[in-house]
Amino acid sequence: MDKKFMDIAIEISKNSTFPYGAIIVKNNKIIGRSDSNTIVSKSEISHAELVAIEDAMEHLGGHLSAEGGKGTTIYSSCEPCAMCMGAILYTGVERMVYGATIEDSKECVNEILIKAEDIANSCTNRKIEIVKEFEREKAIEVLNEWKARLL
């Protein structure tokens, strides 16, 4: 199932203003997604992961934390930035799968290069399983296509 859901997150990243996409899955159903309404369309902090979290909370009719976060996985086309990783941990998402690394993204938008795993490891009250660099080459291709359009 990881491939199916990561492919959706990467497809979202292809169609977004900036090359990032995220979805949140619970019980093999998408409950939150970022689609094209991400990064700076609302504000500089409207990142794909945060938009997907907000969408999931609306879908669940409340918070993700506590029971709502149980059994949830976030699929992100790129390793989340420090701000997004904090939100992911705060909401209690239990599992994260990401494609491109934060270093792969540094020439696009990401300027704060703190590893998501380092943030997760420093959080003592929330644990998350992290699957790194899943479908990385597909996600990097989207980043490179976006960079090429800027030249």
Side-chain angles (χ1 to χ4, degrees):
M1 284 305 231
D2 283 345
K3 182 175 178 358
K4 171 188 168 184
F5 291 125
M6 179 56 83
D7 285 347
I8 292 169
I10 291 171
E11 189 63 31
I12 290 169
S13 75
K14 288 179 185 177
N15 298 312
S16 295
T17 305
F18 288 85
Y20 304 101
I23 62 172
I24 296 180
V25 174
K26 184 172 183 164
N27 299 325
N28 291 320
K29 292 186 176 138
I30 298 172
I31 62 167
R33 47 188 306 142
S34 62
D35 288 311
S36 62
N37 191 23
T38 59
I39 303 183
V40 298
S41 60
K42 293 180 182 177
S43 74
E44 290 179 336
I45 61 171
S46 293
H47 291 194
E49 296 87 354
L50 298 182
V51 172
I53 288 169
E54 286 184 14
D55 190 44
M57 289 189 302
E58 285 180 31
H59 178 86
L60 294 173
H63 295 282
L64 265 178
S65 57
E67 286 300 312
K70 289 202 186 291
T72 54
T73 298
I74 187 164
Y75 293 86
S76 181
S77 64
C78 188
E79 181 177 2
C81 71
M83 173 182 65
C84 292
M85 191 62 203
I88 291 165
L89 290 167
Y90 186 81
T91 57
V93 170
E94 292 185 331
R95 187 168 180 266
M96 176 176 68
V97 180
Y98 70 81
T101 68
I102 201 142
E103 290 87 1
D104 296 330
S105 173
K106 70 181 177 186
E107 293 175 0
C108 293
V109 174
N110 217 328
E111 297 172 353
I112 301 173
L113 302 177
I114 300 170
K115 301 292 294 169
E117 191 171 31
D118 291 343
I119 296 167
N121 289 338
S122 68
C123 184
T124 58
N125 63 334
R126 298 280 169 110
K127 296 298 174 200
I128 187 169
E129 175 190 347
I130 300 175
V131 178
K132 303 182 278 188
E133 301 177 33
F134 189 82
E135 300 283 336
R136 181 177 177 215
E137 293 306 315
K138 285 183 185 178
I140 288 173
E141 189 177 306
V142 176
L143 295 172
N144 288 337
E145 289 170 5
W146 186 84
K147 286 187 284 189
R149 285 194 303 264
L150 294 179
L151 299 176

